[in-house]
Amino acid sequence: MSKFYKNLKNSKSPYIIAEIGSNHNGKTYLAKKLILSAKKAGADCVKFQSWSVDTIFSKKKYDDNYFFNDDYRNRKDTNLKKIVKKYSFSEKQLLSMSNFCKKINIDFATTPFSLSELNFLKKKLKPKFIKVASMDLNNHPFLKQIGKKKLPILLSTGLSTIKEINEALKILYKTGSKEIILLHCISKYPTPPKETNLNALISLKQKFRLPIGFSDHTLGTLAPSIASCLGAKVIEKHFTLSKKMKGWDHKVSAEPLELKRIIDETKLVHKYLGKKIFKRPESKKIIQEFRRSAIANRDLKIGDQISMSDITFKRPGTGISPDKIYKYVGKKIKKNIKNDTVIKKNFF
């Protein structure tokens, strides 16, 4: 078992991936700013996407000139092909980013979109894991090649059925790949709360007996914290310096302060959750301060036989506790007790 996978499985708080994707807008200096900002926020990893004009879309898609909510058919200033070319990163740029990440001590990863990009990833970039995009979960020929690389795999499950997930895992298992993390994902940008269905994390974990994670496309910071509560070992969140920047994913991405909040809260969640045992952490002093004792509600003399009508219960809890008082009712006291005095065991 690789060190990365072992640490991930045993970690109490999730591994946080700042998904830069194409939010670098094709600019190296902007990518470095994003990496530095993610590092400052406390992210464990930054992730890019490896694609080019030739590996992401077919000629038909470029002829249609349409992608998601950006209708390039209605634009005079540019087209889909130009945008893809502008926002892609070359092998040289990706290698530069990988080296930069090593220099500042943050993990680097990228999602390959083709076999050539996968081979370059393994040979030159040498990441700790391979991230498989949701769209490739049913790409069995590609999964076979990914499995052969013998790296831990983060498999996003957006667009997929349970049957398709099962088939994808069978393909990967046949290649000898066993170190797999399933990422619950809804491929809708942004994902509304009512469609996020974070309880699916529990279903995935129970059915496939694998570590789980969450590739988040919601707005805000709440969903990752909930996912962390449900056992997510990985949180992946799109990341940008500003939602106002032009590009595909900026609007659905977390800005630096949001990313820091996600990281802080997902780690804090596990402190709140604690261990799966019932254990009282309060000190004896705190218990005595908060709990009640038997208190005399009138003056009592030596030889008086104490009854419940002689007693009330108030703080502090340094005397006979209410649950033990019945042992002493009916007994004679051995010393005088003034009104509003704590009644103790040695008074009998």
Side-chain angles (χ1 to χ4, degrees):
M1 185 182 291
S2 68
K3 184 179 178 181
F4 170 80
Y5 194 72
K6 184 178 180 181
N7 288 343
L8 186 145
K9 285 184 70 177
N10 295 330
S11 177
K12 291 182 179 179
S13 57
Y15 181 83
I16 306 292
I17 301 172
E19 166 69 281
I20 291 173
S22 61
N23 281 349
H24 49 69
N25 289 357
K27 299 172 182 177
T28 301
Y29 79 88
L30 182 56
K32 287 185 176 181
K33 279 188 175 182
L34 283 159
I35 294 169
L36 287 169
S37 184
K39 169 74 175 180
K40 184 178 179 181
D44 298 294
C45 175
V46 290
K47 193 182 77 62
F48 291 77
Q49 294 174 359
S50 301
W51 43 262
S52 68
V53 171
D54 297 322
T55 61
I56 189 169
F57 294 130
S58 66
K59 182 177 182 299
K60 182 184 185 308
K61 199 72 178 177
Y62 292 124
D63 289 344
D64 290 343
N65 203 32
Y66 178 75
F67 184 59
F68 291 151
N69 296 323
D70 300 310
D71 194 342
Y72 297 102
R73 289 175 295 191
N74 296 330
R75 293 178 61 175
K76 305 272 187 186
D77 60 319
T78 188
N79 58 49
L80 180 58
K81 195 167 189 177
K82 287 181 181 178
I83 290 291
V84 169
K85 188 173 183 180
K86 179 181 179 181
Y87 288 168
S88 64
F89 250 16
S90 67
E91 290 182 351
K92 184 178 179 180
Q93 285 174 305
L94 287 170
L95 183 58
S96 174
M97 293 305 99
S98 176
N99 290 333
F100 184 69
C101 286
K102 288 176 185 175
K103 185 177 179 180
I104 67 168
N105 194 29
I106 187 171
D107 290 347
F108 168 91
T110 184
T111 299
F113 277 43
S114 72
L115 182 57
S116 62
E117 288 150 356
L118 173 65
N119 289 334
F120 177 74
L121 173 149
K122 172 67 174 177
K123 186 176 180 181
K124 296 291 185 179
L125 301 178
K126 299 178 180 178
K128 292 182 178 179
F129 63 88
I130 299 173
K131 164 67 191 297
V132 180
S134 291
M135 65 181 178
D136 280 319
L137 184 138
N138 72 337
N139 188 348
H140 292 182
F142 194 34
L143 290 181
K144 287 180 181 179
Q145 296 301 319
I146 289 170
K148 290 176 182 178
K149 300 304 179 185
K150 306 302 179 188
L151 284 172
I153 296 169
L154 271 62
L155 182 63
S156 272
T157 59
L159 311 171
S160 305
T161 64
I162 289 293
K163 182 181 177 182
E164 288 173 329
I165 296 170
N166 195 50
E167 290 172 350
L169 290 174
K170 284 180 180 178
I171 295 290
L172 292 171
Y173 290 153
K174 283 182 180 179
T175 67
S177 287
K178 304 286 175 139
E179 298 183 1
I180 300 168
I181 301 99
L182 287 178
L183 303 186
H184 173 53
C185 177
I186 306 296
S187 298
K188 196 169 184 178
Y189 303 76
T191 307
K194 65 180 181 180
E195 295 181 24
T196 305
N197 193 27
L198 287 172
N199 275 326
L201 285 161
I202 299 171
S203 299
L204 289 173
K205 185 176 182 180
Q206 289 176 344
K207 182 165 184 61
F208 297 108
R209 307 286 182 181
L210 290 169
I212 52 171
F214 179 45
S215 182
D216 183 24
H217 297 140
T218 66
L219 297 176
T221 64
L222 180 59
S225 292
I226 298 171
S228 182
C229 286
L230 295 172
K233 295 293 187 178
V234 175
I235 300 290
E236 181 182 60
K237 183 78 173 181
H238 282 271
F239 179 57
T240 183
L241 295 179
S242 172
K243 296 178 191 290
K244 296 179 181 179
M245 295 177 68
K246 291 182 179 180
W248 286 339
D249 296 323
H250 294 288
K251 290 180 182 179
V252 298
S253 300
E255 293 179 339
L257 288 178
E258 289 178 301
L259 181 64
K260 186 176 188 309
R261 182 175 177 181
I262 288 168
I263 292 165
D264 290 345
E265 289 184 353
T266 52
K267 290 181 178 180
L268 191 59
V269 156
H270 287 269
K271 289 184 179 179
Y272 280 121
L273 289 175
K275 299 176 181 179
K276 293 180 181 179
I277 57 172
F278 185 82
K279 183 181 179 182
R280 187 173 66 190
E282 299 94 348
S283 67
K284 183 178 179 181
K285 183 178 180 181
I286 290 174
I287 293 168
Q288 289 177 340
E289 287 292 329
F290 277 89
R291 283 191 164 172
R292 300 173 187 252
S293 296
I295 306 292
N297 63 12
R298 69 180 182 87
D299 288 341
L300 298 169
K301 296 180 179 179
I302 294 172
D304 283 349
Q305 194 174 39
I306 200 164
S307 68
M308 286 299 296
S309 62
D310 298 322
I311 302 166
T312 188
F313 299 98
K314 300 179 184 180
R315 292 178 178 177
T318 54
I320 297 171
S321 64
D323 59 324
K324 300 291 192 294
I325 193 61
Y326 294 110
K327 291 182 180 180
Y328 301 93
V329 171
K331 290 186 176 182
K332 293 181 180 181
I333 59 173
K334 297 178 180 179
K335 62 177 293 184
N336 294 331
I337 304 173
K338 289 186 177 181
N339 181 37
D340 210 29
T341 298
V342 175
I343 302 173
K344 297 186 178 182
K345 295 176 183 179
N346 61 1
F347 291 0
F348 294 87

